[in-house]
Amino acid sequence: MNKIIDLIPLSVPNISGNEMNYVKECLETGWISSAGKYVNEFENMVADYVGAKYGIATVNGTSALHISLILAGVKKDDYVIVSNLTFVASANSISYCGANPIFIDADPEDWQMDLNILENFLENKTYIDEKGELILKSDKKRIKTIMPVHIQGNIFNFERFKKICLKYNLTFIEDAAEALGSKFKGQSAGTFGELGVFSFNGNKIISTGGGGVIITNDEIKAKKAKHITTTAKVDPMLYYHDMVGYNYRLVNILSAIGVAQMEQLPNFIKKKQYIGNYYKDKLINVGDIKFQEINDNVDHNNWLFTIKTSKQKELLKFLNSNKIISRPFWMPMNQLPMYSRFLYVNQNDNSRLVHDNCLSIPCSTNITNQELDFVISKIKYFFDKCT
Ligand SMILES: Cc1ncc(COP(=O)(O)O)c(C=O)c1O
């Protein structure tokens, strides 16, 4: 029987596995805080899933990015190259280090950092000094690392990106916050660079309420990450801390939710794929709707289903007023007041184009076919009325 459709959320947590049991166990045993078996279990599950040696759980993806940049050696006044079209946390984590972002515009089709623009910038505006460090010509400051963001779980041509990094002596960190489960040539997002980061906030493919994980294959960096995220405590009895650390460790009770969520991840990915295919199948010839271009060799996790249309503003208003929660892309970094003074490398400002034309539509892993059909029927109705 069809149920009455109330509000259809955009992308909400799906709590349908062992979450209650594991949380209950934490509550009953008192292990709710920063120590407890679920923290390690969650870290190992994420690391194993993506085929990496180590995972370090943090309170959120933003803190995981912050610590990764510290571990990559980013210091005050360094530059870090980053995608212009991203969630603000990518840029904020750079600011937390006292470093400065250089923003690279997005590709208008796949929405990832545009590699042509990146390469052209590195070729013409930077040089490698006698110490082997990459330097920005205009002010002679060091570009310490680059942090591409896998926007909406898509991945650019990683082989090409790695060649560029090699040529310019650049290490890289992946902001894979949205890309758990995505792969390039069979290799998981988050495992390409020296460090990768996932987020588990409420809208991600799995959620711990709030949470993140740093991924690395480097044992020294893994140990350091755990040390810095646990206040750099050396001796728990004497409260001896050997550096300025952070209280960033994910607590056991949230890790317990993470373990239950990880158990369901393969099914969540299947459902996201189903939703993506369902929408594409039904919306392909509706109005001027276009979809994100998925790059060759990419297995996409279909995290947040997003469409592109010149009627974005009107459609957003129409869907939200019909209790179908839909959202535009984040405001590009160069348009935010605290980041507008930084270098933004672009040719046609495609970040603005993507921002002004794209909207994400409901795609929670617990969405029903009836709800999907309802969203589709409303979108069709909107375009019928428009044309
Ligand atoms: C691209 C990107 N980077 C970083 C983050 C930050 O993650 P969190 O919200 O867990 O701090 C998010 C998610 O919100 C994100 O989408």
Side-chain angles (χ1 to χ4, degrees), residues 59-63 65 86-90 149-151 175-178 197-201 203-204 210-212 303 330:
V59 287
N60 50 42
T62 310
S63 57
L65 289 174
T86 185
F87 178 61
V88 71
S90 318
V149 186
H150 303 314
I151 304 295
D175 181 343
E178 305 173 354
V197 163
F198 296 116
S199 159
F200 308 112
N201 76 13
N203 66 19
K204 295 297 182 291
W303 164 58
W330 328 274

Side-chain angles (χ1 to χ4, degrees), residues 228-372:
I228 303 179
T229 53
T230 51
T231 67
K233 196 188 285 175
V234 176
D235 186 329
M237 284 291 283
L238 298 176
Y239 289 100
Y240 179 71
H241 309 256
D242 62 356
M243 60 186 285
V244 176
Y246 298 85
N247 187 9
Y248 278 175
R249 190 135 177 92
L250 189 68
V251 292
N252 198 47
I253 195 162
L254 295 183
S255 302
I257 297 176
V259 169
Q261 289 273 291
M262 279 304 292
E263 289 168 353
Q264 299 166 86
L265 179 58
N267 285 338
F268 289 172
I269 287 174
K270 273 192 208 139
K271 182 67 188 275
K272 288 278 189 189
Q273 268 157 4
Y274 173 83
I275 296 166
N277 292 338
Y278 200 92
Y279 273 138
K280 280 184 181 168
D281 202 38
K282 304 268 181 356
L283 294 175
I284 187 146
N285 291 317
V286 176
D288 64 349
I289 288 180
K290 299 262 177 323
F291 309 115
Q292 183 184 33
E293 192 176 284
I294 308 303
N295 293 310
D296 287 348
N297 302 310
V298 172
D299 293 320
H300 190 221
N301 70 354
N302 285 278
W303 164 58
L304 194 65
F305 195 80
T306 302
I307 57 177
K308 196 165 154 189
T309 165
S310 59
K311 299 271 182 289
Q312 181 233 39
K313 276 181 194 51
E314 299 88 333
L315 184 57
L316 268 171
K317 206 167 159 202
F318 175 76
L319 292 177
N320 285 299
S321 66
N322 278 283
K323 296 189 177 173
I324 295 171
I325 305 303
S326 52
R327 291 283 179 267
F329 251 101
W330 328 274
M331 185 78 68
M333 294 304 101
N334 71 299
Q335 294 186 43
L336 299 179
M338 63 288 194
Y339 292 122
S340 58
R341 70 190 165 90
F342 291 99
L343 192 54
Y344 168 36
V345 190
N346 76 99
Q347 275 158 12
N348 301 312
D349 195 7
N350 286 322
S351 303
R352 181 184 289 274
L353 186 93
V354 176
H355 173 263
D356 290 352
N357 288 276
C358 288
L359 68 153
S360 305
I361 57 177
C363 54
S364 307
T365 50
N366 49 16
I367 196 168
T368 63
N369 273 8
Q370 192 197 346
E371 288 169 328
L372 287 172

